[in-house]
Amino acid sequence: MALAQQVVPVPGPMGALTVGVTGVGLALVVFGDEPDVVLRAGRRLGEPVVTDPAATAAAAAQLREYVAGERRAFDLELDWRLTAGRQRTVLEVLFQSVPFGATVSYGELAARSGLGGGYTGARGVGSIMGSNPIPVVVPCHRVLAADGLGGFGGGVARKEWLLALEGVLTPTLDFG
């Protein structure tokens, strides 16, 4: 089995996304043209990395459709093997329970995932969101701090853009 990679050019502030797909499913979405990240993931999985547009075509197409506003849910098999334990539990709960256009707080996601509420649970979820290997598809951008947006591995501007795309935030004006 191999980990196939493709860089997907995406319009707007998203820039390129690098996707990694195994025979099991989508394993990796990385912001930017980042083949080194895919190589490290391949080593963790024990799989060689190949460039194979046919293997990554469905994931690339669905990501393009999503950022174009033409898709609200992803219909892809996911390979969760780059996650484990509580990280996997929290990310699976997020993926299954927070749909397009909805948000959840770090604390609420902690409670839903069995981590407990309060500050400690919320901080744990924040750390897990920062290590999500499949952002956008596993929608960590939909997880908000109690007092604002919170952070985002792809940068706050991308988080704002994704939330505006989903109608959660009002789009900002671009006078550029």
Side-chain angles (χ1 to χ4, degrees), residues 17-115:
L17 295 173
T18 301
V19 296
V21 176
T22 68
V24 175
L26 179 66
L28 192 66
V29 175
V30 181
F31 294 101
D33 182 351
E34 298 289 344
D36 290 346
V37 175
V38 180
L39 289 173
R40 287 193 300 274
R43 284 194 292 273
R44 273 186 66 196
L45 293 171
E47 298 184 6
V49 176
V50 297
T51 301
D52 185 357
T56 58
Q62 288 192 27
L63 282 162
R64 282 190 204 98
E65 291 166 0
Y66 169 78
V67 299
E70 300 165 357
R71 172 173 291 277
R72 291 178 165 236
F74 291 93
D75 183 20
L76 298 166
E77 292 296 322
L78 300 181
D79 183 342
W80 294 98
R81 292 180 296 155
L82 291 172
T83 66
R86 292 180 356 172
Q87 177 197 32
R88 183 170 180 166
T89 299
V90 170
L91 292 173
E92 285 180 336
V93 168
L94 170 64
F95 182 72
Q96 295 165 2
S97 70
V98 185
F100 184 96
T103 61
V104 64
S105 72
Y106 292 105
E108 184 179 347
L109 184 56
R112 285 185 192 180
S113 303
L115 297 183

